[in-house]
Amino acid sequence: MPTRSPRKSASAARLQRENTHDEIYERIYVAILEHRLHPGTKLVEERLAEIFNVSRARVREVLARLAHEQIVEIYPQRGAFVAKPSIEQALDVFEARRLIEPAVLRRLIETLTPEKLARLRQHQELELDARRRDDKRAVIRLSGEFHSLAAELAGNSALARQMRELSTLTCLMIFLYDAPTATSCRADEHSQIIEAIARRDTVRAEKLMLEHLAHIESGMKLEPAAEEVDLEAIFRS
Ligand SMILES: [Zn+2]
């Protein structure tokens, strides 16, 4: 019986390692996106290593990758925490999205194919289905992923990476700063954007996207707290 060549088993081992890294990454990432892991939660290396049955070194690699994407914050001596974007960072995220997302749509429309349009519509179906089932976690995740998918389909890997990071940070911000009445993305707005893309109407698609971002932003409470609160006004009414 032939023995496995060392080369083959080495590459198989590497594949196994990469799969595990990606799998752990994906599971933590999705848990953050779905608000099962809240902003500020401590990610204890030792416990994650036990849960995923891997070494602490492997967990550290995954946390470093999440930290590189700004989804996790690592403090020396204290460990890793799910990021907790400040109001200033949140305002920066929206400013960046207003600059990037119209560019994403322009590029997507320029390079549009029936396959790309089908991918967008499939994603929209998943989102509508999650809304019908009232699966709030899936709705938050899928509505964020709509924006990352558009960037991925636009075909610029740098924009896609940036968009993935910005939409994940937006998910964290929705958790931290959501006004009680707000929802994440409105489903009908995604549908309208997809229809503008389908008609290759760049001007309308960009306009709808900027309005959509304004709606998400206005659904959050991002006014900095006043330095001096008028206590009298608060308690005397
Ligand atoms: Zn949206």
Side-chain angles (χ1 to χ4, degrees), residues 17 20 24 45-46 48-50 52-62:
R17 192 186 77 82
T20 313
I24 299 169
E45 227 172 71
E46 209 172 342
L48 291 171
E50 273 171 31
F52 295 115
N53 196 24
V54 292
S55 66
R56 286 180 65 171
R58 174 72 37 78
V59 170
R60 217 171 298 139
E61 276 172 28
V62 174

Side-chain angles (χ1 to χ4, degrees), residues 119-132:
R119 286 276 306 277
L120 286 172
R121 290 201 162 122
Q122 273 162 17
H123 187 90
Q124 178 66 355
E125 268 312 307
L126 291 177
E127 211 183 306
L128 291 173
D129 184 55
R131 283 179 200 273
R132 277 192 291 268

Side-chain angles (χ1 to χ4, degrees), residues 21-231:
H21 176 102
D22 283 347
E23 196 182 283
I24 299 169
Y25 168 86
E26 203 57 35
R27 286 185 62 187
I28 297 177
Y29 178 79
V30 168
I32 293 174
L33 228 53
E34 294 192 341
H35 292 172
R36 282 182 284 123
L37 274 175
H38 299 174
T41 304
K42 184 166 187 182
L43 298 169
V44 184
E45 227 172 71
E46 209 172 342
R47 251 188 265 155
L48 291 171
E50 273 171 31
I51 292 165
F52 295 115
N53 196 24
V54 292
S55 66
R56 286 180 65 171
R58 174 72 37 78
V59 170
R60 217 171 298 139
E61 276 172 28
V62 174
L63 293 177
R65 178 173 165 195
L66 289 160
H68 182 71
E69 294 171 357
Q70 316 220 19
I71 301 161
V72 159
E73 286 162 3
I74 296 176
Y75 301 97
Q77 317 297 330
R78 289 178 50 214
F81 297 81
V82 178
K84 210 173 168 181
S86 65
I87 288 175
E88 289 72 21
Q89 281 172 303
L91 293 170
D92 286 351
V93 165
F94 278 110
E95 187 179 12
R97 292 189 64 165
R98 282 194 295 273
L99 293 170
I100 288 177
E101 299 207 48
V104 161
L105 292 183
R106 271 199 300 280
R107 203 172 197 287
L108 178 56
I109 290 171
E110 276 165 25
T111 62
L112 194 66
T113 60
E115 291 74 27
K116 288 183 181 183
L117 196 56
R119 286 276 306 277
L120 286 172
R121 290 201 162 122
Q122 273 162 17
H123 187 90
Q124 178 66 355
E125 268 312 307
L126 291 177
E127 211 183 306
L128 291 173
D129 184 55
R131 283 179 200 273
R132 277 192 291 268
R133 287 184 285 111
D134 201 26
D135 183 344
K136 292 195 175 66
R137 284 177 173 160
V139 168
I140 295 169
R141 176 172 54 80
L142 289 164
S143 57
E145 282 174 355
F146 169 75
H147 295 260
S148 315
L149 176 66
E152 189 193 311
L153 295 175
N156 178 320
S157 62
L159 281 179
R161 220 171 23 246
Q162 207 62 53
M163 199 53 243
R164 186 173 151 103
E165 194 177 303
L166 291 169
S167 68
T168 309
L169 285 171
T170 305
C171 268
L172 289 172
M173 285 147 46
I174 288 172
F175 186 87
L176 288 167
Y177 302 114
D178 212 359
T181 52
T183 52
S184 49
C185 293
R186 302 183 195 175
D188 56 327
E189 294 186 348
H190 284 180
S191 304
Q192 287 171 12
I193 292 169
I194 294 173
E195 288 326 302
I197 294 169
R199 288 198 304 271
R200 297 175 188 263
D201 187 341
T202 311
V203 174
R204 181 166 165 76
E206 285 183 33
K207 179 175 169 281
L208 288 170
M209 180 59 86
L210 290 174
E211 285 171 5
H212 178 55
L213 292 174
H215 288 153
I216 304 173
E217 188 171 358
S218 66
M220 293 187 198
K221 291 178 287 185
L222 295 174
E223 299 84 26
E227 278 182 24
E228 267 186 61
V229 176
D230 186 352
L231 289 174

